[in-house]
Amino acid sequence: MTPFGTRLAAAMAEHGPLCVGIDPHPGLLAGWGLPDDAAGLREFAMRVVEVLGGRVAALKPQSALFERHGSAGVAVLEDVLAACRETGTLSVLDVKRGDIGSTMAGYAQAYLADGAPLAADAVTLSPYLGLGSLAPAVELAHATGRGVFVLALTSNPEGASVQHAVGADGRAVAAGIVDGVGALNAGGPVPTGLGSVGLVVGATIGDAARRLGIDLAGSRAPLLAPGFGAQGAGRAEVAEVFAGAEQAVLASTSRAVLAAGPDGLAGAAEQAVADVHAALGR
């Protein structure tokens, strides 16, 4: 399979740098007039895929909001990922897994192996048991043409206490993660352009990357960037966070599109793509 980084670059060039979350929050289900059960979950999620599949670069189901419905919800998630494949739209499964040894290998098999019921084009991972602990997932992703997005600089207030902490080498934890991801991309299957190991970087983190001496562009990582849409990241915020790395940004938005309801999804997504293009200056 063509490496994920190459496929993502092509999808962003064709459809714009937008990833729309599939986040079936109880409030959104109610707003759509749907019950908060597996049937409502299915109607909601499959409608998003039906309308936006083939129109945006990627779709990002939030696993927790399916898992809360137990096995019935996970069955819906399997069908949603299969539907994404049928439309040719990249799927980024938001699971934020992070563990060690055989457990990490198990997560990798669940989400990144060919033929796995929950296989996605990419998954989100947490590196805070050490970036090296993610090796089973990175290796399998490279082998199957899939990708991973590693949490680096998130916008939640609690994240800074870990991510901005400075180690004995004088480097912030997040800087070490970005450097490590850059090394993984340098040794990965994509020699130039976007690599297949990405980073999650919030669009509302302000000057954190610059202040911590982090070179986002040098990592060659696709940058999954929550904070657009409802969280309000615009041209000024983007310029501060992603200066020099704008071409790598895959903007993530959920409620700003989903709140438009089933009949307004297409228009809301088109507006979101235009807004992202304007914010990124591309």
Side-chain angles (χ1 to χ4, degrees):
M1 184 185 292
T2 302
F4 174 74
T6 303
R7 292 188 289 134
L8 177 60
M12 291 198 293
E14 181 176 1
H15 300 296
L18 182 71
C19 174
V20 176
I22 304 179
D23 293 6
H25 290 278
L28 281 171
L29 292 172
W32 282 39
L34 296 172
D36 188 9
D37 58 19
L41 191 73
R42 179 177 296 276
E43 174 65 23
F44 178 94
M46 297 301 279
R47 177 67 171 167
V48 175
V49 177
E50 176 188 347
V51 174
L52 298 185
R55 305 180 70 144
V56 295
L59 292 169
K60 182 172 67 65
Q62 170 47 256
S63 185
L65 296 175
F66 292 83
E67 292 174 35
R68 70 190 183 91
H69 291 280
S71 60
V74 173
V76 173
L77 180 57
E78 292 179 5
D79 291 345
V80 168
L81 292 167
C84 289
R85 288 192 290 273
E86 290 172 6
T87 68
T89 303
L90 294 176
S91 58
V92 178
L93 183 56
D94 197 355
V95 289
K96 299 184 180 70
R97 298 295 191 246
D99 216 306
I100 60 172
S102 61
T103 306
M104 192 66 241
Y107 283 136
Q109 289 289 329
Y111 305 122
L112 299 166
D114 291 335
L118 287 169
D121 290 290
V123 294
T124 56
L125 300 176
S126 173
Y128 294 108
L129 287 176
L131 184 64
S133 68
L134 304 182
V138 173
E139 291 166 4
L140 186 55
H142 282 167
T144 60
R146 294 183 166 86
V148 302
F149 285 95
V150 178
L151 298 176
L153 286 165
T154 60
S155 55
N156 61 305
E158 304 87 351
S161 65
V162 174
Q163 296 159 17
H164 297 192
V166 175
D169 61 356
R171 296 280 280 157
V173 170
I177 290 168
V178 174
D179 291 347
V181 165
L184 291 171
N185 282 326
V190 188
T192 60
L194 288 183
S196 293
V197 183
L199 295 163
V200 179
V201 178
T204 56
I205 62 167
D207 68 347
R210 177 183 55 77
R211 181 164 39 83
L212 298 173
I214 292 174
D215 179 14
L216 293 175
S219 69
R220 289 183 42 231
L223 304 173
L224 182 62
F228 289 82
Q231 291 176 267
R235 185 68 180 270
E237 289 80 10
V238 166
E240 185 172 36
V241 176
F242 301 109
E246 292 89 349
Q247 294 300 315
V249 172
L250 175 64
S252 176
T253 186
S254 298
R255 296 191 196 194
V257 172
L258 302 177
D263 297 326
L265 286 173
E270 288 175 6
Q271 183 60 56
V273 170
D275 292 343
V276 169
H277 273 301
L280 292 171
R282 70 188 233 217

